[in-house]
Amino acid sequence: MPDTDRLYALSSTYNHPWLSGPDGPALLIHDPVVAMRWYLTTEREENLAVTGHVSDDHGATWRPLRPRDLMADAEHALTVMAHDDALQTGQSAGVFRDALAAEAADWLDHRLRYVQPDDPTPYRPEEPSSPEAWQRGGHIWALALGTLPDEQVLKHLTARFTRPQTEGAALLRTGAAEMLDALTLAENPAHGETTQLLAALVLFHRLSFGFETGQLHTLAEDAQRSILDHLITVHPATARVAEAHPRPGHPANEAARAYLRRLSFIGADGEQRLLDDAAAALAEAVAAAEQQPDRVPDTSAQGVQSPAIPGYPKHLSGDLQAAAQWRLISPVARRAAEQTMDRLARATAALAEATAAADVNQPASPQEDAARIAHHSLQQELEELTARHALLMHASVLADAEAAAEPAKHAAVVAAAQATEAQPRPSTAAEIVAAEDSFMAHVTAAEDRIAATLAEQRRLTREALHRIFPHAVTSTGRHTVRRNLLENSGLGIDAYTQASRAIGESAGKLRSVEAAYRSGAVSIGRPPVSHEDVEQARAALQRAETRFADLGVSRPNTLRALKALDAAVRDPSPSDAPAARAARIAAQSRERAAAPAAPRTSPAADQVHQARTPSPQHHQPGLRPT
């Protein structure tokens, strides 16, 4: 399958009322065809809702991915394959397209024969129960994929039912066309008539109301919002309200939007009594809202403290995105992920070809079974690899926070000293002690905030550990996770030795091949050494050197993340006692005083320092005499 420059992150959530909340399976892949097929086989209205994101910079930044965009990427990849000069690649494109159509038909079938999760008799009928089901299926197809279902999809779909569905395909296409027109209006509502916009509102409301959840629900809600934002400003009954109260959160503005929704169900030419009731309800709601004070949210930054550690605590957007970020930090992790994704793409292709060549009336052949086992094994391997990389990124963020805490503590001491120096110069012993107390109060407050920030970041890391590896609740389980994070990533204690040995062996092989190529000597029973053999040996040496260089970056970063992870799962250490803080601050003061280029402090600061620093004869416990 062709690679792309994009990285696709697909995550799912259970939406069944008895399984609501837990996260479902997920996929991080660089192949759009594999990603699209995973979406079609995973996303189910009555079970799993899939949300997608895409990155064009290998996971550094992400943006939402609509299913229609993913389908367009998959279609483009298949078109490129079909026009490939290689005969086998062109034939494979047809097999993949047919497999994609079959999976799309299965996805659509779940929409046509939908059974609500709370149905007392949740048995799927053998065929769509009504013409409305076909039309609703067309609406959902167009909303999700942004096209009309093609003939190949309809062929696979109608073959599922025992009785001919003569009108079903036409109703399906009609529903999809209606949805495409409504989406066009939502993108450019100014080009539509009022009656058209109201009809589109009804269409989107039917899909956003009820058990439709996940990204499709969001797409329908976004389309409704776009139409309402325009319609409220041009409809005669609501234009005045929108002009007086343009903020969507204002009660009068919300009353106008509710009126438009109600009007969409009544119809512009509906029963006059219903229209009058809706207009009266709007006038009453607007009058009541205008009597209330317009409370605008306070967006000022007054009273907002600067973060104790700039940028922390940091919340990662998701485990898939975290795994991709770790691969930007660790070259070894990125190479392992790319190799596994490539193998999974090839296994998916092999399974599609084996399935296409199989006879549906015969038991599965050994080739088909082997392809299915290989595909399942590689998919599981990629999932485990993604989980390990995600956890390492969470731990790496904690390590960064711990590293950033040290300069933050130093900055807190400097800020406390500046705040103390800004006060009038103390002249008595009591004033000096009061200045010292003020200084320590500033430091203590700042360091308590830093400690709270680190505690929150550790909590997020522990949550990630227990979410990704639920079995890591005992010391044995945590040891297993740690070993997997290091050894299974090829970063064990012998990694440097093996990488160095590989460089030596590759360099020796290159010298041998180059010498044989220059001499022209031919060994008995072996072909002469060619220029291609020399280039292959040189490429092998380059790979070994790259591996060693990548190891020099990846292993320290991994050990640093593991150290932070080990500390996070232990009981948090208590905060510094006042004596320990005083000792540390005194040591920092001595270091600054001993520095050659250290500027002279103000007299007030010197007095505070002398009052705080104990004498050699009467030092406090925990303080080393100077």
Side-chain angles (χ1 to χ4, degrees):
M1 291 186 181
D3 294 340
T4 66
D5 293 332
R6 292 185 172 185
L7 191 62
Y8 301 93
L10 301 175
S11 57
S12 66
T13 305
Y14 286 98
N15 54 30
H16 194 282
W18 311 118
L19 294 173
S20 58
D23 295 333
L27 178 70
L28 185 61
I29 195 71
H30 60 21
D31 190 289
V33 179
V34 175
M36 188 69 235
R37 295 184 62 184
W38 189 92
Y39 172 87
L40 292 172
T41 55
T42 303
E43 204 273 346
R44 288 295 180 269
E45 183 177 18
E46 73 280 8
N47 194 3
L48 284 166
V50 174
T51 302
H53 290 81
V54 64
S55 174
D56 294 324
D57 50 14
H58 304 289
T61 58
W62 296 86
R63 67 179 187 276
L65 173 67
R66 299 180 301 180
R68 71 187 70 171
D69 298 330
L70 179 57
M71 175 63 89
D73 288 350
E75 289 288 345
H76 174 71
L78 292 176
T79 302
V80 172
M81 289 181 63
H83 290 84
D84 196 300
D85 294 336
L87 178 60
Q88 185 176 1
T89 304
Q91 293 175 346
S92 299
V95 173
F96 300 151
R97 191 179 297 277
D98 186 71
L100 191 64
E103 289 159 350
D106 182 69
W107 177 84
L108 188 56
D109 179 34
H110 279 260
R111 269 11 196 229
L112 296 176
R113 299 189 291 142
Y114 170 62
V115 178
Q116 292 185 353
D118 62 346
D119 195 307
T121 58
Y123 297 105
R124 294 168 61 83
E126 295 183 357
E127 61 185 23
S129 56
S130 64
E132 289 75 13
W134 284 96
Q135 195 169 15
R136 179 178 178 275
H139 292 161
I140 296 175
W141 175 278
L143 176 64
L145 303 180
T147 61
L148 294 174
D150 57 29
E151 293 297 333
Q152 201 168 6
V153 173
L154 296 177
K155 179 181 177 181
H156 282 283
L157 179 63
T158 54
R160 292 173 168 269
F161 309 129
T162 56
R163 293 191 302 175
Q165 303 290 329
T166 55
E167 298 181 357
L171 291 172
L172 190 70
R173 283 181 169 272
T174 300
E178 290 176 355
M179 176 54 67
L180 291 178
D181 292 340
L183 289 172
T184 302
L185 288 175
E187 293 176 358
N188 299 286
H191 295 167
E193 301 289 338
T194 300
T195 55
Q196 295 175 323
L197 295 174
L198 291 174
L201 273 182
V202 176
L203 189 60
F204 290 123
H205 178 79
R206 289 173 180 170
L207 294 182
S208 62
F209 178 78
F211 289 94
E212 187 66 51
T213 59
Q215 196 174 34
L216 299 185
H217 182 273
T218 303
L219 292 174
E221 283 191 335
D222 290 345
Q224 283 188 89
R225 190 178 301 108
S226 175
I227 293 176
L228 285 173
D229 288 344
H230 170 75
L231 195 56
I232 194 174
T233 61
V234 299
H235 195 278
T238 59
R240 182 188 65 81
V241 179
E243 183 179 0
H245 308 285
R247 185 168 58 86
H250 191 277
N253 190 288
E254 291 299 319
R257 292 171 183 267
Y259 166 78
L260 292 174
R261 294 190 187 93
R262 185 173 178 180
L263 184 62
S264 66
F265 287 100
I266 299 173
D269 299 329
E271 187 176 346
Q272 188 61 41
R273 177 179 59 85
L274 299 177
L275 294 175
D276 293 341
D277 290 345
L282 172 63
E284 181 180 354
V286 171
E290 289 180 341
Q291 292 178 359
Q292 301 176 3
D294 189 5
R295 294 186 176 88
V296 180
D298 185 14
T299 57
S300 63
Q302 297 179 356
V304 178
Q305 289 183 323
S306 59
I309 306 176
Y312 298 94
K314 182 182 292 185
H315 297 260
L316 298 179
S317 55
D319 292 335
L320 296 180
Q321 288 78 4
Q325 291 179 20
W326 175 252
R327 293 166 190 175
L328 295 177
I329 296 175
S330 171
V332 171
R334 179 172 179 177
R335 183 174 62 251
E338 290 176 347
Q339 292 174 352
T340 306
M341 289 189 292
D342 289 337
R343 292 164 59 203
L344 177 60
R346 290 194 296 269
T348 304
L351 178 59
E353 293 176 349
T355 304
D359 187 353
V360 295
N361 299 319
Q362 297 294 330
S365 64
Q367 292 79 6
E368 186 178 359
D369 287 338
R372 198 177 306 277
I373 292 173
H375 177 267
H376 177 75
S377 175
L378 283 170
Q379 191 168 25
Q380 185 175 3
E381 181 179 342
L382 182 60
E383 291 175 358
E384 294 175 354
L385 191 67
T386 301
R388 293 200 300 268
H389 293 171
L391 181 57
L392 285 170
M393 187 62 207
H394 285 286
S396 178
V397 170
L398 175 58
D400 292 341
E402 291 173 344
E406 296 306 318
K409 291 177 182 179
H410 176 75
V413 174
V414 173
Q418 293 174 349
T420 304
E421 290 178 0
Q423 302 297 324
R425 179 178 179 179
S427 57
T428 64
E431 291 178 350
I432 292 176
V433 172
E436 178 185 3
D437 292 341
S438 175
F439 174 81
M440 291 302 300
H442 280 85
V443 174
T444 300
E447 292 197 344
D448 286 345
R449 291 177 57 214
I450 292 173
T453 301
L454 286 177
E456 175 64 15
Q457 193 69 61
R458 292 189 182 101
R459 184 189 66 81
L460 294 174
T461 305
R462 288 193 296 271
E463 286 185 353
L465 171 63
H466 297 150
R467 180 180 63 252
I468 298 173
F469 293 100
H471 62 276
V473 294
T474 64
S475 59
T476 302
R478 292 193 295 269
H479 170 73
T480 303
V481 170
R482 189 185 191 282
R483 184 183 60 197
N484 289 340
L485 292 176
L486 192 63
E487 300 295 339
N488 289 358
S489 301
L491 302 173
I493 193 172
D494 296 331
Y496 280 118
T497 302
Q498 295 173 359
S500 178
R501 184 184 300 115
I503 291 178
E505 292 175 352
S506 299
K509 177 66 177 299
L510 177 61
R511 288 193 297 270
S512 174
V513 171
E514 286 178 337
Y517 179 69
R518 286 192 300 266
S519 65
V522 178
S523 301
I524 299 176
R526 294 184 179 181
V529 176
S530 63
H531 177 70
E532 288 75 12
D533 297 330
V534 176
E535 293 299 323
Q536 290 177 2
R538 185 174 289 112
L541 176 59
Q542 291 176 351
R543 287 194 299 269
E545 292 173 343
T546 301
R547 163 70 180 174
F548 188 83
D550 291 348
L551 191 62
V553 176
S554 300
R555 195 170 192 275
N557 285 330
T558 303
L559 293 175
R560 175 174 176 267
L562 287 176
K563 181 180 179 181
L565 183 62
D566 289 342
V569 298
R570 301 194 193 102
D571 293 334
S573 58
S575 57
D576 291 345
R581 284 200 183 102
R584 178 165 41 78
I585 294 172
Q588 292 176 354
S589 299
R590 290 193 298 272
E591 290 176 1
R592 288 194 298 270
R600 181 175 180 81
T601 59
S602 64
D606 290 339
Q607 292 181 17
V608 172
H609 173 63
Q610 293 171 4
R612 291 184 60 258
T613 305
S615 64
Q617 293 80 9
H618 300 88
H619 66 274
Q620 300 176 4
L623 293 180
R624 177 175 296 178
T626 55

